[in-house]
Amino acid sequence: MTATPSPASPCGRCGTQATAVTEGALPAAVGSHADAHAVWDQLDAVQRDGLASILRTVLPARELAEEILALADRHGAGSR
């Protein structure tokens, strides 16, 4: 039995292959990737390094991410 390939679309800017489980889900995957480019393009090199470091820390730890967002909501994102 062979696996059915997932629908895919390559990014013209970076070559990343956006994939989805179904063809209907592909537009959302491609849209999310385009949104990521839009955010990335607004950051300078230091901000990009910081964001990447934060994401590497919190993405594998869902509870940590939820607690950080809760702190941001309670204290305001710009306050300390």
Side-chain angles (χ1 to χ4, degrees):
M1 182 174 178
T2 58
T4 304
S6 298
S9 174
C11 175
R13 289 184 61 191
C14 68
T16 297
Q17 192 86 352
T19 59
V21 175
T22 66
E23 192 170 334
L26 187 58
V30 170
S32 293
H33 185 75
D35 290 345
H37 272 291
V39 170
W40 193 254
D41 290 345
Q42 294 180 36
L43 304 175
D44 63 34
V46 172
Q47 293 169 324
R48 288 175 179 175
D49 285 346
L51 177 60
S53 176
I54 291 166
L55 291 174
R56 284 185 183 100
T57 301
V58 298
L59 285 178
R62 182 181 172 113
E63 287 115 11
L64 174 60
E66 290 171 353
E67 287 301 319
I68 290 171
L69 287 174
L71 285 170
D73 290 344
R74 278 195 296 273
H75 299 289
S79 64
R80 290 185 177 212

